[in-house]
Amino acid sequence: MRITDTSDLWWKNAVVYCLDIQKFMDWDGDGTGDFAGLAQRIDHLADLGVTCLWLMPFYPTADRDDGYDITDFYGVDPRLGTHGDVVEIIRTARDRGMRVIADLVVNHTSDKHPWFKAARSSKDDPYRDYYVWRSDPPPKDTKKDVVFPDKEDSIWELDEKTGEWYLHRFYKHQPDLNVANPQVRDEIAKVMGFWMELGLSGFRVDAVPFLLDGAGANPRDDLVDPHEYLRSLRSFMNRRSGDAILLGEVNLPYEQAVEFLGGSNGDELTMIFDFPGMQAMYLALARGDAAPIVNALKARPPLPRDAQWATFVRNHDELTLDKLTDDERAEVFAAFGPDEDMQVFGRGLRRRLPPMLDGDPRRVRMVYSLLFSLPGTPTLFYGEEIGMGENLAVEGRLAVRTPMQWNAGPNGGFSTAPASRLTAPVVEGGFAPEHVNVADQRRDPDSMLTFMGLLVRRYRECPELGWATVDVLDQPHAHVLAHRSSWGDGSLVAVHNLAAEPVTVPLHLPDLDGDVRFVDLLEDDMTTPCGEDGSVEIALPGYGYRWLRVVRPGSRRLV
């Protein structure tokens, strides 16, 4: 193993942290988070060990979809700051060892975008073909194709002025861009080039399958394969910056998802989120049975050397369960979101993990230990490091996009503005700021924040967790997951108990012998010897977990 490889392909063992600037820290007291506030809290992220900061949209917006309805891809929302503030954040983050990526939301625009205003002004306008239009009436039932079925009942909307319908797979105020138009593809490349010139290290690409859907559909264009367009974006990006990344939102089954990495060539997306694995994890938690996770790990296709899975417990959208069967989804709903108000779109949950687990710190910590031990790049959503909850009084997916909780004071220390002026209300009840906040946890050695910092450090010290394929270990307990990751001279065994009852887990590792010992990376001074035949017994409390470094005689690695 060459440790230098971990800086070359830095994303293979990065720690990604996603935040919404509007909800993170308000420095000017107007009730909305801003770049100045983020700058003042950048050391919190550095202390946690974050290596890649992912910024949700900060562009000018009509603000009907929490910033995802963009009116200028090259601008900065004036409520948040200026281009100069963006550069200062990138520079300050880099000084703390963090790269910065941002959302690339180019499958649609706001209907207030100048392109769409021009496009709907006349059928002959030069921007008309920037969007997808049809002159004949669309099919009556396209609700199955709508991303938000509780808000829209068709993917086509009639534009009264021109008498034609435009395509929108999301909200009707977000018309889809026509990527079959080479001019649109050039604009997207210019957007990428612009922000990379200011220092971004790549992008999280929104809704990638929708973005590619129309590519290759223009008979007058030489683009035949939609994936050829994705390859061209990757090539363009890496010509501008060799180590920049495209982190793609591709919520598809494994076999289809890996196609967006470029197959064995690895020349499309750099990373994709492990949606099937995340959904299997929640099914396993609901059942107290590790089998869904085992099946997902075994079903993971091999990846190109330069590609990676992004693993996660929670993201900024609904906690989607759309890849589970109806019965499986019902199991997860019953366990973690039994009230209809906790569910959204009939396919997901609008909750954060700690409330779903009734605030049980054993279960919450076990889940995050599991996340960081799985091969891949862990991705955190702001507030997870302190165990934040959701606010179900807020509509839809925004229930989990509440202000960051910095202290126990008014507004959780997020803003000095009156509560009525906040961009979103803070969490109330048992997970309110007076109970869950950064300030209280910073100096508490037993806090969630301290524990998460330990997980980040140990993960970064174990590059095999980002580079290795996983080996699920045989053992007799259905509620236990035991797996091993080995890469070069590094090998780590992780064991997790999904049940409340304590258990002793027998493992047999035939390539090891009595000269080997297992050093626990999460508990001080815990060492377990290995039997002559490679056997070892691991004792776990209820919802317990252990990370065991395989230490051979003469090993020079620090443990």
Side-chain angles (χ1 to χ4, degrees), residues 11 119 240:
W11 56 88
R240 297 291 178 94

Side-chain angles (χ1 to χ4, degrees), residues 142-160:
T142 58
K143 188 167 184 176
K144 66 182 186 303
D145 300 317
V146 171
V147 173
F148 304 126
D150 66 331
K151 300 294 184 182
E152 305 288 349
D153 55 15
S154 173
I155 61 173
W156 295 97
E157 181 69 13
L158 178 64
D159 180 57
E160 297 288 351

Side-chain angles (χ1 to χ4, degrees), residues 456-517:
V456 171
R457 287 195 300 275
R458 295 295 182 258
Y459 170 81
R460 292 282 291 166
E461 292 168 357
C462 301
E464 57 267 37
L465 295 178
W467 285 72
T469 55
V470 66
D471 180 18
V472 177
L473 302 177
D474 291 331
Q475 48 79 37
H477 304 290
H479 54 278
V480 171
L481 174 66
H483 63 284
R484 182 180 180 186
S485 299
S486 300
W487 182 63
D489 64 350
S491 185
L492 184 139
V493 174
V495 190
H496 290 81
N497 181 8
L498 275 62
E501 300 76 27
V503 65
T504 297
V505 183
L507 299 176
H508 182 231
L509 304 167
D511 63 312
L512 305 180
D513 56 36
D515 289 333
V516 169
R517 58 194 174 100

Side-chain angles (χ1 to χ4, degrees), residues 37 66 127 181 300 410-411 419-421 467:
D66 203 35
Y127 284 100
N181 182 348
R300 271 186 175 184
N411 303 326
S420 60
R421 292 184 59 197
W467 285 72

